[in-house]
Amino acid sequence: MTQTHPTDVDWEALGAALEREAELHLPALETATAWLRDLLRTDAMDDSAVGRVLDIGSGPGVISCLLADRFPGAEVVAVDQAPGLLERTRARADRQNPAGRVVTHRADLPEELADLGSAELIWTSHAVHHLGDQQAALDTLATRLRPGGILAVAERGLPPRFLPRDIGIGRPGLQARLDAASEESFAAMRAALPGSTSTVEDWPAMLSHAGLVPTGTRTFLTDHPSPLALPAREHLHHLLTRLRHQLAPYLPEEDLTTLDHLLHGDACTGILWRPDAFFLTATTIHTARACHR
């Protein structure tokens, strides 16, 4: 069986789905960016002193536009490898931030990280784990911080929960087996990356190794209880479609059949219609500060 790793993902084709997913997280992200604003408020820096923000691996720009709202005096640079996602960012920024403070920059990562200029805040969400040498990427990002600036890295957290243990189809405990299969797929993805380097993923320690001073780790909850609105259901249908493809080599046929039932667009047992579907997940953000010179 041919195995498709996440390294083969066409991110541009996923633009609409990525935008919908990020919008589901907006309440949590609004709280998270308020926390980052408070971290940046020191004796040496206030909101007006934040003149530039880098969003590394910005995707369709949902967070870039949120950061522009949170830091009204800053230019926010959305950095991504996919031109199609940057076009989505520009369209969203035109709607939400017509002052032109959100700009886009196409860059190959990690090769061009050092060429992005400096900033008071660097945000990167679930992008570093797609780079072969995660520590080297953090080391480079640390050099882009202005004195007193903050590097915020959203990584890991908790995987989504969306169904009860026993859903009346197949063997109970499907989500636990999806988690285990996802870990196997993730390890295979990491091993296939150019320059893949193993490291203990202690993010505060990694930020310290990059020469920064850790300023705290917090986890922010995204909670959409049942009954789910259509955007959340569409996101779950898209997520399960991707998992069905990505995890096929790691799951037994019984679980693949269960996923097929959940993906059935017209069946009342499908994820688009089930009354017991919900969406619960958590985003963990690790932060560290550049020393004042």
Side-chain angles (χ1 to χ4, degrees), residues 243-281:
L243 290 177
R244 173 64 174 82
H245 176 67
Q246 176 185 327
L247 303 183
Y250 307 102
L251 290 170
E253 285 298 324
E254 180 182 15
D255 286 342
L256 296 177
T257 299
T258 299
L259 287 173
D260 290 337
H261 283 296
L262 290 172
L263 290 170
H264 195 297
D266 297 321
C268 61
T269 53
I271 199 69
L272 290 175
W273 302 102
R274 295 183 66 99
D276 56 355
F278 58 93
F279 183 58
L280 177 67
T281 188

Side-chain angles (χ1 to χ4, degrees), residues 134-135 138 199-209 214 217 286:
Q134 297 175 103
Q135 184 63 63
L138 294 180
T199 186
V200 176
E201 292 176 354
D202 178 348
W203 293 95
M206 294 166 72
L207 291 168
S208 293
H209 187 276
T217 293
H286 313 274

Side-chain angles (χ1 to χ4, degrees), residues 124-138:
T124 179
S125 177
H126 305 290
V128 175
H129 71 241
H130 287 289
L131 306 179
D133 191 334
Q134 297 175 103
Q135 184 63 63
L138 294 180

Side-chain angles (χ1 to χ4, degrees), residues 37-38 40-41 45-51 70-74:
R37 179 197 59 201
D38 292 342
L40 281 162
R41 285 176 172 166
M45 186 181 298
D46 59 22
D47 288 358
S48 64
V50 179
R70 187 64 72 194
F71 298 97

Side-chain angles (χ1 to χ4, degrees), residues 3-23:
Q3 184 169 333
T4 301
H5 293 300
T7 47
D8 303 319
V9 170
D10 182 351
W11 294 109
E12 292 190 356
L14 296 176
L18 292 172
E19 196 163 357
R20 181 173 56 229
E21 179 182 10
E23 288 171 346

